[in-house]
Amino acid sequence: VQLQASGGGVVQAGESLTLSCAVSGITMSHYGAGWFRQAPGKEREAVSCISASGTRTTTYYLTSAEGRFAISRDDARNMIYLHMNNLEPTDTAIYYCAVDTIAVIRSTMCSIDDYWGQGTQVTVSS
């Protein structure tokens, strides 16, 4: 199983980025998926998650991301996306994508642990 995250970069506050995660080696529709981030000196946190296809879609958003970020998935292309708008310097971190067959995703929490990508750096300058 491989997850390849891309799309990170250096942007100014207020700008947008879309992160992409290419997944191979699994039938992605069976997996919950999510984006996590880790800033220097801080613990990793879940940014946004989406439940497996074929179930009632459930999404999770970090409070600070709600209204600015949107997660989506394209199971036909084995892709996961994170559309990030109105970026803030506090969004600066390494962003990781992850999938799990037994992901626990609620509107208030996200737990994903099976497979992880290598991360892509997002830097937002003020």
Side-chain angles (χ1 to χ4, degrees):
V1 179
Q2 288 191 330
L3 286 78
Q4 182 74 37
S6 62
V10 180
V11 297
Q12 292 193 329
E15 294 185 337
S16 301
L17 277 177
T18 294
L19 305 184
S20 301
C21 179
V23 184
S24 61
I26 59 172
T27 303
M28 221 189 77
S29 60
H30 298 167
Y31 286 71
W35 288 92
F36 294 73
R37 70 187 182 189
Q38 187 164 20
K42 295 189 176 181
E43 292 189 356
R44 186 179 66 197
E45 61 184 356
V47 177
S48 183
C49 303
I50 186 167
S51 57
S53 300
T55 63
R56 185 172 67 94
T57 300
T58 302
T59 55
Y60 163 84
Y61 289 96
L62 183 68
T63 300
S64 62
E66 205 147 13
R68 299 188 299 126
F69 293 7
I71 190 170
S72 63
R73 60 188 298 157
D74 184 339
D75 291 341
R77 292 182 169 82
N78 272 21
M79 296 291 294
I80 309 162
Y81 303 99
L82 184 67
H83 311 277
M84 305 187 293
N85 298 313
N86 195 20
L87 282 159
E88 302 169 353
T90 50
D91 295 318
T92 295
I94 300 175
Y95 284 70
Y96 301 88
C97 54
V99 295
D100 196 328
T101 51
I102 53 171
V104 179
I105 300 171
R106 307 281 186 268
S107 61
T108 56
M109 61 87 66
C110 170
S111 176
I112 292 180
D113 206 34
D114 255 356
Y115 302 107
W116 292 81
Q118 87 293 357
T120 184
Q121 176 72 47
V122 172
T123 302
V124 184
S125 60
S126 56

